[in-house]
Amino acid sequence: MCERQRIYERRFIDDQDPPWTDSDVLQEYHFCNVYRRLDYTTQHLLDEVLTRENDRDVFFNTVIYRFFNRPKTFQSIGGFTPVDRFDPDGMCHALRLYEEDHPLFSSAYRVTTHSWADSDSKAVNIVKGIIRDDLLANFDYYCESVLEAESMEDAFEVLCELNGVGEFLAYEMVIDLNYELLPFSENDFVNIGPGSSSGLMIIFNEVHEDWLHWMVDRQEDLFAEFDLTFPYWEKRLTLRSFEHALCEYQKFVGIKEQDEVRRKFSPRDHAQDTLEDFA
């Protein structure tokens, strides 16, 4: 976690030339940032969706965005779209054209392959079978129940009711919405995903939420125990931060100790926001 955050600072704050680390694994392979909101896909969502004025439209576009989780795919369908201007046929047509030369979905996680709209196209099944036939058909219920939820867990459980949205994707969406629209702390609720579960097993030999709380509560002492000074840019790391980092940790261990084949790192050409933009 310390070295990954230092890589970010060396690259984007100090404007150093690569390599930004002595770690062969971190040099050669792709790892998400410790602070999730610094990742490229989340930054794009913050810039293009979450800061818009209409909360209903923000909720609608956040759900669409995370199904594909690729900024360029989102741009190919016209970007931010008010809910009352949603055109499923037009969106499917745009996705078919874009798919001829580009991947539609991020490799960060898998989304549903169920034939929600009886189509052989995953994109069509999502746009028509999920967005049109479930989210839009029951939009007032979903939107109001999430945005007026009394807890992060309540909002998460409503999102889980959506066709094709399991616990992993629901947690991604509720964390996104919590950046701007929801009032909760990332320490209020955590959903332990499969990657994080593997990380917990490596370290503690069991999967239990208590260990995440233990790391949050003792984080300064733990860094000091290993003679590390974490380069904080927010007050403290949260349950979400450790859940997120445990997933990256199990990837690191798999590459270093088991020669797992993972996505290689290639610096992007985009202009990424810096820590100051968020602080």
Side-chain angles (χ1 to χ4, degrees):
M1 292 173 75
C2 283
E3 187 61 13
R4 181 63 185 88
Q5 183 61 15
R6 289 194 182 108
I7 289 171
Y8 183 91
E9 293 194 340
R10 291 167 189 145
R11 182 180 177 191
F12 293 109
I13 306 304
D14 301 332
D15 198 25
Q16 294 181 13
D17 293 327
W20 299 291
T21 178
D22 293 330
S23 166
D24 292 340
V25 175
L26 292 174
Q27 277 189 44
E28 297 177 18
Y29 294 88
H30 179 274
F31 289 89
C32 295
N33 285 284
V34 177
Y35 292 106
R36 176 182 180 271
R37 65 188 298 166
L38 295 181
D39 286 334
Y40 175 53
T41 53
T42 303
Q43 287 187 6
H44 189 82
L45 182 67
L46 283 160
D47 290 340
E48 301 298 326
V49 177
L50 292 172
T51 52
R52 300 297 185 104
E53 292 184 359
N54 188 296
D55 291 355
R56 290 168 61 86
D57 292 340
V58 169
F59 172 76
F60 181 69
N61 281 265
T62 298
V63 174
I64 293 175
Y65 184 91
R66 280 304 180 189
F67 266 111
F68 295 95
N69 201 37
R70 292 193 80 246
K72 291 183 179 180
T73 300
F74 189 68
Q75 292 168 351
S76 78
I77 57 178
F80 189 87
T81 303
V83 64
D84 59 4
R85 292 175 55 189
F86 173 65
D87 174 11
D89 291 327
M91 186 175 291
C92 289
H93 178 68
L95 289 169
R96 287 192 192 96
L97 292 177
Y98 187 73
E99 191 177 19
E100 291 177 1
D101 299 303
H102 308 87
L104 292 183
F105 298 91
S106 166
S107 60
Y109 53 80
R110 298 175 183 175
V111 295
T112 179
T113 58
H114 183 77
S115 298
W116 298 101
D118 297 323
S119 172
D120 58 0
S121 164
K122 182 162 71 169
V124 171
N125 283 318
I126 290 171
V127 172
K128 293 187 175 181
I130 298 175
I131 305 301
R132 182 193 66 186
D133 294 345
D134 190 6
L135 178 61
L136 197 60
N138 304 287
F139 189 71
D140 287 344
Y141 164 73
Y142 284 123
C143 186
E144 292 171 10
S145 297
V146 170
L147 298 187
E148 297 175 8
E150 295 185 358
S151 68
M152 183 182 286
E153 186 173 9
D154 287 346
F156 164 83
E157 290 176 352
V158 173
L159 289 166
C160 285
E161 296 177 26
L162 265 168
N163 287 343
V165 176
E167 292 184 351
F168 179 91
L169 192 53
Y171 190 48
E172 297 300 304
M173 291 175 181
V174 80
I175 292 294
D176 289 332
L177 295 168
N178 197 57
Y179 289 140
E180 294 290 338
L181 301 187
L182 300 178
F184 310 117
S185 164
E186 289 186 2
N187 289 324
D188 290 346
F189 169 73
V190 65
N191 176 72
I192 303 174
S196 183
S197 295
S198 297
L200 286 170
M201 284 297 298
I202 293 169
I203 300 173
F204 302 107
N205 203 33
E206 67 172 340
V207 178
H208 201 291
E209 185 178 319
D210 286 350
W211 286 119
L212 282 165
H213 289 275
W214 181 79
M215 286 187 282
V216 169
D217 293 340
R218 295 194 64 236
Q219 57 188 275
E220 291 87 359
D221 293 337
L222 289 169
F223 286 128
E225 183 178 334
F226 291 95
D227 197 26
L228 296 169
T229 301
F230 185 80
Y232 286 99
W233 70 276
E234 290 180 327
K235 293 180 180 179
R236 298 179 88 241
L237 296 167
T238 64
L239 285 173
R240 174 70 233 217
S241 303
F242 281 101
E243 193 278 338
H244 189 54
L246 280 163
C247 181
E248 300 306 288
Y249 169 70
Q250 63 89 23
K251 285 164 50 179
F252 184 95
V253 172
I255 294 167
K256 188 174 181 64
E257 298 185 4
Q258 301 168 13
D259 295 323
E260 287 185 3
V261 177
R262 291 283 186 170
R263 174 184 168 190
K264 291 295 185 74
F265 171 67
S266 177
R268 297 177 183 271
D269 294 326
H270 66 80
Q272 183 163 349
D273 293 334
T274 64
L275 287 175
E276 286 83 353
D277 294 316
F278 292 103

